[in-house]
């Protein structure tokens, strides 16, 4: 859906008052109303655009959402039932407008007189998307957040296992329905902050662990972090740099079932930079006693 500048469409500034917005809408509605331009598709399209802009900017909650996220959060909802607006001189099919029509009846009544009337069926309220930034720890554990939607304070449970871009549905916490229709839904879109040292791929956790040459050659047991706390990792003798060791079931909870991912430890052999002469002599002696060419079988 293309981004739209609703303020520009109504010809008002971003700091315009509610009265200024309403006045601008009335003037444009009179000018572009389809009854004054029968059969003119361009005028009909303009009239639709004007109404869409007014529906967003006249509602302070919608206006706040628009100012924060732009027009993309107001994609047209699905319509149910016939909704036409009858005024002296003709009838408009409100379905063709493609947006929330609450309040249009009052404006049309002002413009075209008290005989204007609406024929409508139940209309579900608009769904709302809400971008929520959460920490890495919040994403992998059950957490609750407090939000204010439509003037109501609500508590939303974010299930363990959500990812960056996950959508959490909260039923009937969107925009109010019209003409007896149900309330829309709220969709929380999660944006997860990166962790200082854990990396997540699907439901697996990755961690780089540096070890010494001696630990790699002889084997060792080292303490490492997991998302559950500290764990003791066994380093097998002869471990190579870049080797991946698996800790089964130490990953993230699967959001759709009771299982868990794994944790993978990526070994990084850390070579000391500053050696005294005695240490160098020992390494040279080691090389003499254990001659080998690590590139012997590389197919370059």
């Amino acid at each position: 859906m293309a981004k739209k500048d609703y303020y520009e469409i109504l010809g008002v500034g971003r700091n315009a008052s509610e009265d200024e917005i309403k006045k601008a809408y009335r003037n444009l509605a009179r000018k572009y109303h389809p009854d004054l331009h029968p059969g003119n598709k361009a005028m009909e399209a303009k009239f639709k655009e004007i109404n869409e802009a007014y529906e967003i900017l006249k509602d302070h909650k919608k206006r706040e959402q628009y100012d924060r996220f732009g027009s993309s959060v107001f994609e047209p909802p699905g319509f149910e039932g016939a909704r036409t607006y009858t005024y002296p001189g003709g009838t408009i099919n409100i379905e063709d407008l493609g947006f929330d029509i609450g309040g249009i009846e009052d404006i049309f009544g002002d413009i075209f007189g008290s005989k204007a009337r609406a024929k409508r069926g139940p209309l579900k309220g608009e769904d709302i998307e809400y971008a929520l930034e959460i920490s890495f720890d919040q994403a992998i554990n059950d957490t609750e957040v407090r939000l204010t939607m439509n003037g109501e304070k609500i508590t939303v449970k974010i299930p363990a296992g959500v990812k960056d871009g996950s959508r959490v549905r909260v039923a009937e916490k969107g925009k109010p329905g019209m003409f007896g229709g149900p309330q829309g839904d709220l969709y929380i879109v999660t944006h997860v902050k990166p962790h200082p040292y854990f990396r997540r791929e699907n439901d697996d956790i990755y961690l780089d662990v540096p070890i010494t040459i001696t630990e790699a050659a002889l084997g060792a047991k080292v303490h490492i972090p997991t998302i559950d706390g500290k764990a003791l990792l066994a380093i097998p003798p002869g471990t190579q740099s870049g080797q991946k060791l698996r800790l089964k079931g130490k990953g993230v909870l699967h959001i759709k079932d009771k299982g868990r991912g794994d944790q993978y430890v990526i070994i990084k052999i850390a070579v000391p930079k500053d050696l005294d002469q005695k240490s160098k002599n020992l390494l040279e002696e080691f090389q003499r006693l254990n001659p080998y060419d690590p590139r012997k079988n590389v197919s370059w």
Side-chain angles (χ1 to χ4, degrees):
M1 182 178 181
K3 293 183 178 179
K4 300 177 182 179
D5 189 331
Y6 292 139
Y7 294 100
E8 181 176 317
I9 290 170
L10 293 185
V12 298
R14 300 189 72 86
N15 295 322
S17 67
E18 292 181 9
D19 288 341
E20 289 173 331
I21 290 171
K22 187 173 184 178
K23 182 178 179 181
Y25 170 74
R26 287 184 172 184
N27 291 336
L28 292 171
R30 290 189 179 97
K31 181 178 179 180
Y32 292 98
H33 196 279
D35 189 50
L36 303 177
H37 309 278
N40 190 321
K41 297 297 183 182
M43 289 296 183
E44 290 180 9
K46 182 66 175 178
F47 184 68
K48 173 182 174 180
E49 191 176 52
I50 291 165
N51 278 294
E52 181 179 357
Y54 179 67
E55 282 300 308
I56 301 306
L57 298 185
K58 77 180 181 67
D59 184 312
H60 73 279
K61 290 293 184 181
K62 289 183 181 179
R63 185 175 179 180
E64 180 182 351
Q65 289 287 316
Y66 169 69
D67 288 342
R68 290 180 65 188
F69 305 112
S71 61
S72 61
V73 298
F74 298 104
E75 295 183 5
F79 287 106
E80 301 174 9
R83 288 165 302 283
T84 59
Y85 194 94
T86 302
Y87 59 94
T91 299
I92 301 171
N93 185 347
I94 302 297
E95 290 180 334
D96 292 338
L97 298 181
F99 54 86
D100 184 353
I101 60 170
I104 294 296
E105 180 180 11
D106 295 335
I107 297 297
F108 282 1
D110 291 342
I111 296 174
F112 300 108
S114 60
K115 291 184 179 180
R117 58 189 173 84
K119 298 176 182 177
R120 62 232 180 216
L123 185 67
K124 181 183 176 181
E126 294 180 26
D127 293 338
I128 296 175
E129 281 196 359
Y130 186 92
L132 178 67
E133 188 174 65
I134 59 177
S135 69
F136 183 92
D137 289 338
Q138 285 177 311
I140 64 175
N141 298 290
D142 287 327
T143 188
E144 291 185 346
V145 295
R146 294 277 291 170
L147 304 174
T148 301
M149 305 301 300
N150 299 323
E152 175 190 3
K153 291 184 178 180
I154 62 174
T155 299
V156 178
K157 181 178 179 180
I158 307 297
V162 294
K163 305 172 185 177
D164 194 74
S166 289
R167 287 162 56 89
V168 179
R169 177 176 174 265
V170 185
E172 297 189 354
K173 292 300 180 181
K175 291 297 181 181
M178 298 192 307
F179 316 139
Q183 191 167 349
D185 299 325
L186 168 65
Y187 287 90
I188 305 295
V189 182
T190 55
H191 296 282
V192 182
K193 298 178 184 178
H195 194 273
Y197 44 84
F198 289 131
R199 300 188 304 279
R200 180 177 174 183
E201 294 184 15
N202 297 316
D203 290 334
D204 295 329
I205 297 293
Y206 287 77
L207 175 71
D208 292 336
V209 174
I211 64 173
T212 67
I213 295 176
T214 304
E215 289 172 328
L218 303 180
K221 291 184 178 180
V222 298
H223 288 281
I224 64 166
T226 74
I227 61 175
D228 298 322
K230 293 289 185 180
L232 191 62
L233 175 69
I235 307 293
T239 295
Q240 305 296 308
S241 187
Q243 189 169 332
K244 185 164 65 174
L245 304 179
R246 177 188 178 206
L247 281 71
K248 186 177 181 180
K250 288 295 184 180
V252 181
L253 284 167
H254 300 321
I255 197 168
K256 293 184 178 180
D257 58 51
K258 296 181 180 180
R260 291 184 61 169
D262 301 321
Q263 177 168 329
Y264 290 95
V265 172
I266 310 301
I267 297 298
K268 304 290 184 181
I269 297 177
V271 178
K273 293 183 178 180
D274 298 317
L275 295 175
D276 57 24
Q277 190 57 49
K278 183 177 180 179
S279 298
K280 292 178 181 179
N281 293 338
L282 288 172
L283 286 175
E284 289 172 354
E285 179 65 10
F286 174 83
Q287 178 64 25
R288 187 184 67 80
L289 294 173
N290 300 273
Y292 75 102
D293 182 359
R295 297 170 295 280
K296 181 178 180 180
N297 296 317
V298 176
S299 58
W300 290 341

